[in-house]
Amino acid sequence: MRKIIVLEFITLDGVMQAPGGPKEDLSGGFEFGGWSAPYPDEVSGKLMKKQMEPADLLLGRKTFEIFANFWPEHEEIWPGIIDVKKYVLSNTIKESDPVVKRWKNSNVLTSLADIHKLKNSKGSDIKVWGSSKLAQLLLANDLVDELLLKIYPVILGKGKKLFDDSAIPAAFTLTESVVTSTGVIFANYKRAGEVKTGTMGS
């Protein structure tokens, strides 16, 4: 069984929309695109390089379209991004659509059952970048094996978020954490069974 790893840039209040640039995702009237741009340093660069090591990608429709319109011309930034298999979960995108054909090794999934089948197939780990609705669907169905979060010291209030009320209760173990010179927390979590409760001080 393959692991599904969700990698996200998020703010302190959980917003994950458009970290990369002002025009990345304007939906909902979002005004703060590019909020992660002021925070890179040498440490974050090395950590990002590790997280961007080649693996199959599973993306939601919006993120797939953003990626497909950018990465084919910028492979020097993300080596291997062209050759890995890409999967997009969508009921509107078709295999015959130009956006699918222009990005090598792209495949369309249409259901949760397709994701289960993919997870149970042979191959590399499967990485999910962005894709807020897809990430929420995976969290609601206990399909997330690891969370690799980059938490930025900013609050935006509004925007697409990683967590909503649909996520099932689940415990995670912190496997690695690094704080950069600009205050970004790289925190890696691994799924760790059920939520345990108790009484403080007892």
Side-chain angles (χ1 to χ4, degrees):
M1 182 180 292
R2 305 164 74 177
K3 291 192 297 184
I4 294 181
I5 303 171
V6 174
L7 305 94
E8 303 292 0
F9 300 84
I10 64 172
T11 65
L12 290 176
D13 56 339
V15 174
M16 54 177 285
Q17 186 170 352
K23 297 182 179 179
E24 184 177 7
D25 183 1
L26 298 171
S27 59
F30 191 68
E31 301 176 351
F32 297 102
W35 48 266
S36 73
Y39 296 95
D41 68 357
E42 184 177 353
V43 171
S44 64
K46 290 180 179 179
L47 293 171
M48 283 301 303
K49 184 176 181 180
K50 182 178 179 180
Q51 293 192 2
M52 294 167 74
E53 291 176 352
D56 289 354
L57 301 180
L58 173 60
L59 306 171
R61 179 193 60 79
K62 183 71 174 181
T63 300
F64 178 84
E65 290 176 341
I66 293 171
F67 277 29
N69 288 318
F70 181 83
W71 288 114
E73 285 76 39
H74 298 84
E75 187 181 11
E76 71 282 359
I77 303 174
W78 193 343
I81 187 65
I82 303 300
D83 294 326
V84 301
K85 292 182 179 178
K86 278 80 67 173
Y87 300 90
V88 54
L89 180 66
S90 175
N91 289 313
T92 57
I93 293 178
K94 307 299 181 185
E95 294 278 1
S96 58
D97 288 350
V99 70
V100 176
K101 289 185 173 182
R102 76 185 302 268
W103 203 15
K104 182 181 175 182
N105 297 328
S106 292
N107 307 272
V108 178
L109 307 182
T110 61
S111 67
L112 186 63
D114 287 342
I115 296 177
H116 278 284
K117 185 177 180 180
L118 178 63
K119 183 171 172 54
N120 288 317
S121 66
K122 293 182 179 180
S124 70
D125 292 339
I126 302 163
K127 293 182 177 180
V128 178
W129 292 84
S131 309
S132 59
K133 290 183 179 180
L134 170 61
Q136 290 172 355
L137 176 68
L138 297 173
L139 288 165
N141 288 275
D142 200 15
L143 288 170
V144 177
D145 297 289
E146 296 182 21
L147 288 165
L148 274 56
L149 305 181
K150 294 157 284 291
I151 306 166
Y152 285 72
V154 60
I155 293 174
L156 298 179
K158 295 182 179 180
K160 296 176 182 178
K161 296 189 176 183
L162 174 57
F163 301 106
D164 66 2
D165 291 342
S166 68
I168 66 163
F172 286 80
T173 296
L174 181 67
T175 59
E176 183 179 354
S177 64
V178 176
V179 181
T180 73
S181 65
T182 58
V184 179
I185 302 171
F186 279 69
N188 299 350
Y189 297 91
K190 183 178 181 180
R191 184 73 169 86
E194 305 301 315
V195 174
K196 298 178 180 179
T197 62
T199 302
M200 292 290 291
S202 62

